[in-house]
Amino acid sequence: MEEVVRQNVTGLQWMASEAWTLAPELQTPHLMPYLGGTLGIAILRGEMPGFRDFLLQIRPDQHHNTRTGNNVVNQFWEHTFQCRFAPPPAGWVEARGELCTGQEVIENVETDFLDDSDLRPEYNVYKAVYALAYALDDILQCEPGRGPFSNNTCAHLQRMEPWQGQFHVNGMHKTGDVILGGLFAVNTISTDPDLSFTSEPQTSDCYGFDIVGFRLAQSMAFAIDEINRNSNLLPNVTLGYSLYDNCAQLGIGFRAALTLVSGQEEQVTLEENCVGTPPVLGIVGGASSRRSIAISTVLGLYSMPLVSYYATCSCLSDRQKFPSFFRTIPSDAFQVNAMIQILKHFGWTWSGLIISDDDYGVHAARSFHSDLGPAGGGCLAYTEILPWGDDPAELRRIVDVMRKSTARVVIVFAHKIDMVNLMEEVVRQNVTGLQWMASEAWTLAPELQTPHLMPYLGGTLGIAILRGEMPGFRDFLLQIRPDQHHNTRTGNDVVNQFWEHTFQCRFAPPPAGWVEARGELCTGQEVIENVETDFLDDSDLRPEYNVYKAVYALAYALDDILQCEPGRGPFSNNTCAHLQRMEPWQVRYQFTLKSFNLT
């Protein structure tokens, strides 16, 4: 409205959403010539008899201070009467500031606080409390034997649960002085839990074992094993890990991340002054930009470092939004710039852009649109967004646009599965003669390097993740052995899952009908080298190497913290962090100071 007034735009009929319909800042004589006659939607007004009398009973507690100062009632009192409780802040008395007595009278102050004539959001809060109360009342009125829960049972006051309790996530663990967390997609499919709430909601079952995701998790375990054997890095400190399977699902990833932050112990014994090691001091994870954005937003509240090995969205470089996010893979800003340099090199000035419908694709498109143009040496003929899942009609339309366009260069910034779906339609319409440019997500996808697709994708130029060396990794993988005596609540741990997947067997007790169908039982003595598998191939380590670097980044940060000289530390009063009392925010701080080179 400041700009509307500046340009003197009158004669408009405004329609307001509830967020500003009743805003007093907009109901001023200054704005009436512009906003007069506005039609708006308002929150329903309600009555709360006795509310004003309740407010008049509010009294401060002069003896109760929270860690950050007076409690909220005391803050209200100081705000209303423009005074301070003893002891006042430095200089308050000298500046003739008043001291609060707690006997001040609210009715003597001109304030809207006591106005109960227009209760709208207040009435919504009032209704919300009553909704919870009625739900609790209904539960406690339950007749034994006629309840809504399992076996017609009722809930009991002393044992009532919100059914938002402890999460059970599949994973693998190793004890240590310091624990690092990991999030990996060991399975790629999950079941939808029953959310009728007539019984305790069960954790989603994960299936669709992914050998690549498991190998990434083993890359982290290998790096930690290697560091523990290195006397020059973190001497006299043993690293441990808790690695969880996020099932390639955001919700399960959230559960796993919060489990790493808060722990899963059912009983916690507090030491004096609450001294003790946090569940983890840093997390390696984030196989996609979408999941990393969501999880980093939450982990940032805990100052927990999240080091991603695969999330490339340039948006994650925003330190204000993602202060605890780090990565061992370059931002897409570099990838887009590299693609533009390739276009310039070959003199390709007219191209099409196809992106995935998520942060990965959308932010890349923004970079292309801002950096590619007449000044950048080229233009985009079209920008198309690939649909989620298999949408034949939309894919048919997109390929039709490609076929009719005069642009022969097609840039695809999308995921492997998106590209597989797209290529099915390209083959169906027999669209050939295109020069493809691939983002790192599908450049090396084996599903796209088949004789069937070579007539269409042959000659593709792509950006690939840097390949690295991890000496001893193959030997480490050969040492993997299942634990036949360790089952999680949701099934075998991920090592046992790998074993069953690789040898097509089941550990005892097998599922119903397995033996009858002549299924093999696992003994744990099977030999991995006797099976034809890509699991042991260490000739092309790319995301695995990024995981390896992420672990080392955390290890070097921890090592620097523990090398601190007393009295010359980076924290308050030049103090150092201590192993038994180290906190994630101290590791996050060290990340901003240190660079390292594995070579």
Side-chain angles (χ1 to χ4, degrees):
M1 290 309 301
E2 291 178 357
E3 185 60 26
V4 167
V5 171
R6 195 186 68 79
Q7 295 192 33
N8 194 30
V9 181
T10 58
L12 298 179
Q13 175 60 58
W14 296 83
M15 293 189 71
S17 67
E18 96 294 338
W20 66 276
T21 292
L22 299 176
E25 299 90 339
L26 297 170
Q27 299 175 18
T28 63
H30 176 58
L31 293 177
M32 277 301 106
Y34 304 92
L35 289 176
T38 295
L39 300 176
I41 308 298
I43 298 172
L44 181 69
R45 181 173 57 192
E47 300 293 330
M48 295 165 56
F51 185 48
R52 188 176 189 277
D53 293 337
F54 176 83
L55 296 178
L56 286 170
Q57 296 172 18
I58 292 174
R59 286 291 180 273
D61 179 359
Q62 300 179 54
H63 306 290
H64 175 68
N65 289 336
T66 65
R67 180 181 175 185
T68 55
N70 295 324
N71 65 15
V72 292
V73 175
N74 286 20
Q75 286 181 312
F76 158 72
W77 207 262
E78 292 183 336
H79 170 81
T80 301
F81 296 104
Q82 291 298 292
C83 59
R84 294 295 181 270
F85 285 102
W92 179 259
V93 175
E94 292 77 2
R96 298 184 179 180
E98 295 288 333
L99 290 179
C100 301
T101 66
Q103 303 305 312
E104 293 81 4
V105 181
I106 299 178
E107 287 182 293
N108 293 344
V109 179
E110 185 176 340
T111 173
D112 293 332
F113 181 68
L114 298 175
D115 182 7
D116 63 349
S117 64
D118 192 40
L119 303 175
R120 296 176 187 272
E122 299 91 341
Y123 186 60
N124 281 351
V125 172
Y126 181 77
K127 289 188 294 182
V129 175
Y130 266 89
L132 288 167
Y134 276 115
L136 291 169
D137 188 64
D138 283 346
I139 290 174
L140 296 175
Q141 296 297 328
C142 174
E143 297 181 30
R146 301 184 64 183
F149 306 114
S150 300
N151 301 319
N152 298 322
T153 57
C154 296
H156 299 281
L157 182 60
Q158 291 77 14
R159 289 178 290 167
M160 199 179 298
E161 298 182 35
W163 277 340
Q164 297 174 339
Q166 183 183 19
F167 297 123
H168 298 274
V169 190
N170 206 18
M172 48 189 276
H173 309 273
K174 178 183 176 65
T175 59
D177 301 319
V178 174
I179 304 297
L180 301 181
L183 299 173
F184 301 94
V186 179
N187 290 276
T188 57
I189 306 171
S190 65
T191 57
D192 295 324
D194 176 17
L195 297 179
S196 65
F197 297 103
T198 56
S199 60
E200 182 176 359
Q202 300 299 307
T203 304
S204 300
D205 288 328
C206 297
Y207 60 100
F209 188 85
D210 181 42
I211 201 75
V212 175
F214 179 69
R215 193 161 77 160
L216 291 174
Q218 290 300 323
S219 300
M220 181 169 178
F222 168 72
I224 287 176
D225 180 72
E226 187 176 81
I227 291 167
N228 285 338
R229 290 184 284 105
N230 185 345
S231 60
N232 296 318
L233 182 58
L234 291 173
N236 302 316
V237 175
T238 301
L239 286 182
Y241 56 74
S242 284
L243 312 183
Y244 286 120
D245 176 15
N246 63 27
C247 299
Q249 295 294 323
L250 179 57
I252 297 174
F254 259 124
R255 295 174 189 173
L258 291 175
T259 297
L260 289 169
V261 170
S262 60
Q264 269 198 311
E265 297 82 359
E266 293 186 8
Q267 294 183 337
V268 178
T269 302
L270 295 179
E271 300 177 20
E272 185 180 356
N273 299 324
C274 298
V275 173
T277 304
V280 297
L281 291 175
I283 299 174
V284 175
S288 75
S289 296
R290 183 173 69 95
R291 289 192 286 275
S292 293
I293 289 168
I295 292 174
S296 291
T297 303
V298 175
L299 293 184
L301 301 175
Y302 299 91
S303 298
M304 174 68 72
L306 176 69
V307 189
S308 175
Y309 51 88
Y310 221 31
T312 58
C313 182
S314 57
C315 58
L316 285 162
S317 298
D318 188 333
R319 272 281 163 264
Q320 294 300 313
K321 291 182 178 179
F322 308 105
S324 296
F325 177 83
F326 304 90
R327 54 185 159 197
T328 54
I329 187 170
S331 158
D332 283 333
F334 295 96
Q335 188 170 187
V336 170
N337 182 62
M339 288 183 168
I340 291 175
Q341 294 305 313
I342 292 172
L343 292 174
K344 288 182 178 179
H345 176 79
F346 289 105
W348 296 333
T349 58
W350 189 236
S351 54
L353 176 63
I354 297 176
I355 62 171
S356 57
D357 188 12
D358 57 10
D359 294 289
Y360 175 70
V362 170
H363 281 87
R366 289 179 185 173
S367 296
F368 273 111
H369 281 279
S370 63
D371 298 345
L372 188 63
C379 293
L380 293 174
Y382 57 83
T383 299
E384 293 292 340
I385 302 176
L386 293 171
W388 281 97
D390 187 13
D391 185 343
E394 181 61 9
L395 290 169
R396 190 159 49 247
R397 187 195 65 78
I398 292 172
V399 174
D400 193 51
V401 169
M402 296 165 55
R403 182 171 52 81
K404 293 178 179 177
S405 175
T406 55
R408 295 291 86 192
V409 177
V410 181
I411 305 166
V412 183
F413 228 99
H415 305 287
K416 175 177 63 180
I417 185 61
D418 299 322
M419 192 60 188
V420 169
N421 292 335
L422 176 66
M423 289 311 300
E424 288 179 359
E425 184 60 27
V426 168
V427 171
R428 198 188 69 79
Q429 294 193 31
N430 195 31
V431 181
T432 58
L434 297 178
Q435 173 61 58
W436 297 85
M437 292 188 68
S439 66
E440 97 296 337
W442 66 275
T443 292
L444 298 175
E447 297 90 336
L448 297 168
Q449 299 175 18
T450 64
H452 176 59
L453 293 178
M454 276 302 106
Y456 305 91
L457 289 175
T460 296
L461 298 176
I463 308 296
I465 298 171
L466 181 69
R467 181 173 58 194
E469 300 293 329
M470 294 163 56
F473 185 48
R474 188 176 189 276
D475 292 336
F476 177 83
L477 296 179
L478 285 170
Q479 296 172 17
I480 293 173
R481 286 293 180 272
D483 180 358
Q484 300 180 54
H485 305 290
H486 175 70
N487 289 334
T488 66
R489 180 179 172 183
T490 54
N492 294 325
D493 66 7
V494 292
V495 175
N496 285 20
Q497 286 183 315
F498 158 72
W499 208 261
E500 292 184 336
H501 170 82
T502 301
F503 297 103
Q504 292 298 292
C505 59
R506 293 295 180 270
F507 285 103
W514 180 260
V515 175
E516 292 78 1
R518 297 185 179 181
E520 295 289 332
L521 290 179
C522 301
T523 66
Q525 303 305 313
E526 293 83 2
V527 181
I528 299 178
E529 287 183 294
N530 292 345
V531 178
E532 186 176 338
T533 174
D534 293 333
F535 180 67
L536 299 175
D537 182 6
D538 62 351
S539 64
D540 193 38
L541 302 175
R542 296 176 187 272
E544 296 90 345
Y545 188 57
N546 281 350
V547 171
Y548 181 76
K549 290 188 293 183
V551 176
Y552 266 90
L554 286 166
Y556 276 114
L558 291 167
D559 189 63
D560 281 348
I561 290 173
L562 296 175
Q563 296 295 329
C564 174
E565 297 180 28
R568 301 183 65 183
F571 306 115
S572 299
N573 300 320
N574 297 322
T575 56
C576 298
H578 299 281
L579 180 61
Q580 290 77 16
R581 289 178 291 170
M582 197 180 300
E583 298 186 35
W585 65 266
Q586 294 172 315
V587 181
R588 180 242 173 271
Y589 170 81
Q590 197 65 34
F591 254 90
T592 63
L593 306 179
K594 182 72 175 178
S595 62
F596 70 95
N597 192 331
L598 286 180
T599 59

